[in-house]
Every structure is written in structure tokens, then in C-alpha cells.
Amino acid sequence: MVLLTLPPTSLLIAAGALSVGGIALYKSRSNCMGPMGSRAFNGPFRPIELPLVSITEETHDTRRLVFSLPPGTKSTGLSLASFVIATPTIPGGKRSIRPYTPISDLSDPTKIEFLIKEMPNGYVSKYMTNLKPGDKVPFRGGISSFSWKQNNFRSITLLGAGSGITPLYQLATGILRDDNDTTKIKLVYGNKTPMDIPLKSELDQLKKKFPDRFDVEYFVSKDAEKVPNARPGQIDAAYLQKEIPGPQDDTCVFVSGPPPFVDSVCGGKRGPFFQGNLTGHLKDLGYSKSQVYKF
């Protein structure tokens, strides 16, 4: 997802702009929290401040942050393929907004977890990954970036790189938790080195637990031989043409990752909230814009 830096007065404008881009918003008036706080998140216009419970290292430059939801919460209020917006005030008075996709079970009413990569020049990510338990961060949401429908596809392909794994992981785990959803999932996940693969143990466990519903294949640019069955190099057109379902009505490809990766696979998004034109490998392989979704 794209880093957004806006002055405080632009925050609500940015949230409202999401609806222009065709992204479904949870209307705050219709989802107001009850006296005991039945829903944690109530739309982009209703901020909620959450305390950090724990922060742990995932890889050398990613951290897992767990925040506690308010007492009395009965549901997160989030749907599959949704994200929330953090609105921290960085020391010095700089207000920023940053979208984050939860990796925790969206049905858990007690906590919410994020995987955050510390970017070299990312002052928001550095702020977030240096928080201490007890520190509080305001969030807004949820915002549904894709309306998932049970068994709408026979199979889906998830193409990811680096920290772009978060929306793909959320989508995959949400589908797999639903015993009535028979959608088959293949994740193709690229990283620089074996030490740069976040959520690898969880992904391997999903493959072991759901062998008929979930498959994952890793691409590693350096030292691929250290990852069992990983392919060396990067995800390319030749692999996609041979190993994933072709452009059919009963399948869809979801793409998430750094801009260079997304550009090569399917073309970049036109701003943070617009899909943009379909180009790249998937266009060359005959996919249509309706068969590809960019997180």
C-alpha cells in the first residue's frame, strides 16, 4: 500500500475520496458502537485509539504489532480484504495517515495484529516499529478494498512480494477459515533472501493443514537453495504462463507488493485508491482488467 502524508485538515477529505475510487466504506452512522462497544471499527470518520500490547521481531526489518481492542467489543467490524488507517502524530507535530492490513483473525474481538516493515526513509514505519507496549495509536476504518464472495471463483492466484504479503495473507486465511468456501488458493511469493520471508512458518502450516485448498511457492533472489523447493530469481512471465490458471471466468489474480513488482506483473495503481490500467506480464498473457485485482 502507498504511504500517505497529509495535513490534519485533509484527513476526512482523504477518507471521503475512497468512495470516489469505488472502495466500499462502512458508514459510521449506521455502524455506531453501542453502549458496550459492540464494534471496534466504525468507519473512516470514527477514530479509535488502541494500546499496543506487544511488539516482536518477524524479520530483520519487519515487526509484528498487537493492539488491544476496547473492553466489551463483540466484533472488529472488519470484513475480509479490508484495511484500517493509522493516524499517528509523529514527534514534531507531523500528522500522517498510513493504511495497514490486519493479519489477525478478523473475528477475534480482543485484539488486532499488524505486520509492519520498517522502510529506510519511512518516518511513519520507524515510528510504528519503535513503539513500546502501552503506547496508543489512533486508527480509523475499516475500509473494504475488495468485496469477497464465497465460492465466487473456482480458484484464485495470489502474487506477492515483500511486505505486500499482508492483504494476501488476510484473504487466504479468511477463505480457509470458512469451511463452506471451497475456493482453491495458490500463493506465489517473492523475497530477496531466505531471511526476508515474513509469515513463512504460518504459510507453511497453511499448506500442511489445507493441502487440497492452499499451495504456496517461494521465489528467492539470493541463496534460494537455503529454502526447500524455492525457485531462484524473480516471478516472471514464463513461470506465470506455465504455473497459474489462465485467464478464465472462474479465476482471479490478486497482486500486492512494492511498486516495481506490481508494475512488472500487472501495471501500477493510479494513485492509492484506483486500479489503473492493466499492463505487464498478466496483460501479455491475456488477462483482462476484471480478472486482476491490485491491493
Side-chain angles (χ1 to χ4, degrees):
M1 288 186 177
V2 179
L3 173 64
L4 306 174
T5 304
L6 299 174
T9 55
S10 300
L11 183 59
L12 296 184
I13 296 174
L18 299 178
S19 61
V20 177
I23 300 178
L25 302 181
Y26 294 102
K27 301 301 184 181
S28 59
R29 289 184 181 272
S30 61
N31 293 328
C32 290
M33 295 174 67
M36 295 300 292
S38 59
R39 294 168 64 95
F41 295 94
N42 290 275
F45 302 100
R46 297 286 299 274
I48 178 174
E49 194 171 62
L50 301 179
L52 181 67
V53 176
S54 66
I55 180 168
T56 56
E57 181 178 286
E58 177 72 7
T59 70
H60 69 96
D61 61 356
T62 60
R63 303 291 182 270
R64 298 173 73 135
L65 283 73
V66 178
F67 291 85
S68 177
L69 297 180
T73 297
K74 295 181 180 178
S75 74
T76 61
L78 303 177
S79 66
L80 196 57
S82 66
F83 62 93
V84 300
I85 296 174
T87 59
T89 299
I90 309 300
K94 183 178 291 186
R95 172 68 65 84
S96 298
I97 69 174
R98 183 66 167 92
Y100 290 115
T101 302
I103 60 170
S104 50
D105 185 348
L106 298 182
S107 67
D108 186 341
T110 65
K111 65 181 184 296
I112 189 167
E113 182 175 6
F114 303 99
L115 177 73
I116 299 179
K117 180 181 178 70
E118 183 175 313
M119 307 301 292
N121 298 314
Y123 64 89
V124 179
S125 66
K126 288 184 178 180
Y127 172 80
M128 294 291 286
T129 55
N130 281 281
L131 292 171
K132 306 298 182 185
D135 291 342
K136 295 182 178 180
V137 176
F139 292 90
R140 297 172 185 259
I143 300 165
S144 181
S145 58
F146 183 90
S147 181
W148 177 258
K149 295 180 180 179
Q150 183 187 78
N151 297 315
N152 197 39
F153 302 106
R154 178 182 56 82
S155 67
I156 60 172
T157 301
L158 313 179
L159 303 180
S163 58
I165 188 61
T166 55
L168 305 179
Y169 180 78
Q170 185 199 100
L171 183 60
T173 54
I175 294 170
L176 294 171
R177 288 189 184 104
D178 185 351
D179 293 335
N180 295 316
D181 196 330
T182 61
T183 305
K184 294 184 181 297
I185 306 166
K186 178 164 186 176
L187 169 64
V188 186
Y189 187 27
N191 283 277
K192 293 179 181 178
T193 73
M195 302 301 293
D196 290 310
I197 308 177
L199 300 176
K200 186 177 185 301
S201 61
E202 286 86 349
L203 295 171
D204 291 342
Q205 283 298 313
L206 289 178
K207 183 174 181 177
K208 183 177 180 179
K209 185 176 180 180
F210 303 99
D212 298 326
R213 298 176 62 194
F214 179 80
D215 188 25
V216 56
E217 188 152 24
Y218 300 103
F219 274 75
V220 182
S221 298
K222 182 181 179 181
D223 298 329
E225 68 278 2
K226 296 181 181 180
V227 181
N229 302 316
R231 293 175 180 256
Q234 300 179 344
I235 301 168
D236 57 20
Y239 170 84
L240 296 176
Q241 183 175 33
K242 182 179 179 181
E243 299 294 342
I244 71 173
Q248 304 166 17
D249 292 337
D250 61 353
T251 191
C252 187
V253 182
F254 295 85
V255 185
S256 181
F261 170 76
V262 178
D263 286 344
S264 67
V265 171
C266 57
K269 298 175 70 173
R270 187 167 57 87
F273 308 121
F274 300 87
Q275 287 289 294
N277 295 326
L278 179 65
T279 60
H281 301 328
L282 295 180
K283 174 68 173 179
D284 295 340
L285 293 175
Y287 290 85
S288 67
K289 188 174 180 178
S290 64
Q291 295 167 327
V292 178
Y293 188 83
K294 310 168 192 177
F295 281 113

